[in-house]
Amino acid sequence: MNGTPLKPGATIGFVGLGNMGLPMVRRLLAAGYRIRAYDRARASVDALAGHLAASDLAASDLAASDLAASDLDGGVAADAATTARGADAVVLMLPDSDVVEAVLQDDGLLAAAAPGTVVVDMGSSRPLSTRALAERAAARGVGLVDAPVSGGVKGAVDGTLTVMAGGEPGDFDRVRPILETVGRRVLHLGPAGAGHALKALNNLMSATHLLLTSEAMLAGQRFGLDPAVMLEAVNGSSGRSGSTERKWPDYVLPGTFDSGFGLRLMLKDMRIAVDLAEATGVEPRLGRAATDLWADAADHLPPAADHTEIVTRLRQLLEDHRD
């Protein structure tokens, strides 16, 4: 497939305007890409429309209302399939493989994409499902690159995400400028599914770090240590991690628990990683134990709980034990 890079001025479809998707769209618009965006949630569409109305982008880059004609060059699309008509690439920022497959197949996005289009799945999906979708897309002359990200909402806003990409080299080269607009570190890891595999493994590591960090921090507090001083010491020592450097100081100590990444999404990625490890012959004993503890938290915390609220569940267990 043609690997000519898609530079600003290219038309990009974008499906999924949640906590991560909306700031990514804003960065692409600011860089000069023409955007056709869609989300089933009306509030997300309204948030984008408000951004467009307040911006000073050229009128040709915008659509004042739902996009009804396939030859318009940006703004808010009427449905998922419309984002792909005439687009050079379509970015998906969706929660899981089932939703991605529904958008591509049931909602008609894949059928609407012309040969040569590259679909970029930037959410967290099952690697084997991604490979199957890539084969299905290739049969239509459409490329598929899996490019999940790490760095959270702040990274999406700042354009500092790490992007872990899988797919054919020509497809990756074509969408690389798009990925570099939203990410600071963009890595091509191998064929389709490679990005989603590493993303799941990364999140298993991240979730296990946060769980162990939280247990240690709670033990230190109960011993009488100041948590802020504990973090300062650990962050200059060998126990430091993203949990001690960002999650505890930014979301746990202030009690905001608003990282923007849900606890159940983290659990979903952990399960993907554990399944992947088992499929390769690796026995994920610690990973499985951590996943079981996160599953317990998911059973006891509200549906919209942020993943940093795993600390809340640990505190509940301490109180239960005290009683």
Side-chain angles (χ1 to χ4, degrees):
M1 186 174 289
N2 177 14
T4 303
L6 293 174
K7 297 181 179 180
T11 298
I12 309 300
F14 202 106
V15 181
L17 301 173
N19 291 332
M20 297 290 288
L22 186 57
M24 292 166 73
V25 165
R26 289 171 173 164
R27 293 197 65 84
L28 291 168
L29 282 167
Y33 286 97
R34 296 176 181 271
I35 297 294
R36 297 178 181 178
Y38 172 76
D39 195 292
R40 290 182 178 178
R42 189 69 227 179
S44 298
V45 172
D46 290 343
L48 175 60
H51 172 73
L52 297 179
S55 72
D56 59 359
L57 297 169
S60 62
D61 290 333
L62 311 178
S65 61
D66 283 355
L67 187 60
S70 62
D71 59 351
L72 294 179
D73 280 332
V76 180
D79 51 49
T82 301
T83 66
R85 296 192 182 102
D88 300 297
V90 181
V91 176
L92 310 177
M93 181 50 83
L94 300 169
D96 57 47
S97 290
D98 293 339
V99 177
V100 169
E101 183 153 358
V103 167
L104 289 177
Q105 298 294 134
D106 301 344
D107 295 351
L109 192 153
L110 186 56
T117 307
V118 181
V119 174
V120 187
D121 179 2
M122 300 193 74
S124 298
S125 297
R126 297 185 298 269
L128 294 180
S129 296
T130 300
R131 286 184 177 178
L133 281 175
E135 292 175 0
R136 204 175 306 167
R140 301 185 60 88
V142 173
L144 190 143
V145 170
D146 52 304
V149 300
S150 181
V153 175
K154 187 176 188 303
V157 171
D158 296 341
T160 57
L161 296 168
T162 293
V163 183
M164 312 168 206
E168 293 297 319
D171 295 333
F172 171 75
D173 290 342
R174 190 155 167 75
V175 299
R176 182 166 192 153
I178 298 170
L179 303 179
E180 290 178 338
T181 301
V182 300
R184 176 180 293 168
R185 182 181 291 112
V186 177
L187 303 171
H188 184 221
L189 303 171
H196 283 148
L198 183 55
K199 170 63 175 179
L201 294 168
N202 174 81
N203 277 12
L204 177 62
M205 295 167 68
S206 176
T208 306
H209 295 165
L210 179 55
L211 182 64
L212 186 55
T213 294
S214 299
E215 290 178 345
M217 291 294 296
L218 293 176
Q221 287 179 272
R222 288 167 73 88
F223 185 74
L225 301 178
D226 183 322
V229 177
M230 288 177 67
L231 290 172
E232 183 179 0
V234 170
N235 285 334
S237 305
S238 58
R240 68 184 180 276
S241 68
S243 296
T244 62
E245 292 176 334
R246 291 183 300 278
K247 295 181 182 182
W248 259 80
D250 293 349
Y251 309 117
V252 178
L253 282 188
T256 56
F257 302 107
D258 58 353
S259 77
F261 187 65
L263 185 145
R264 285 160 182 80
L265 287 177
M266 180 67 88
L267 176 59
K268 180 261 297 181
D269 289 351
M270 295 173 74
R271 285 171 167 159
I272 291 173
V274 167
D275 288 346
L276 178 64
E278 291 175 339
T280 65
V282 172
E283 179 65 22
R285 287 174 291 180
L286 178 57
R288 191 182 296 112
T291 302
D292 288 343
L293 290 168
W294 277 79
D296 169 77
D299 288 340
H300 289 85
L301 295 176
D306 190 84
H307 81 283
T308 55
E309 291 185 69
I310 185 71
V311 182
T312 301
R313 178 56 183 158
L314 294 179
R315 287 171 174 158
Q316 289 174 352
L317 291 171
L318 283 173
E319 291 302 315
D320 291 345
H321 181 70
R322 178 181 296 175
D323 293 340

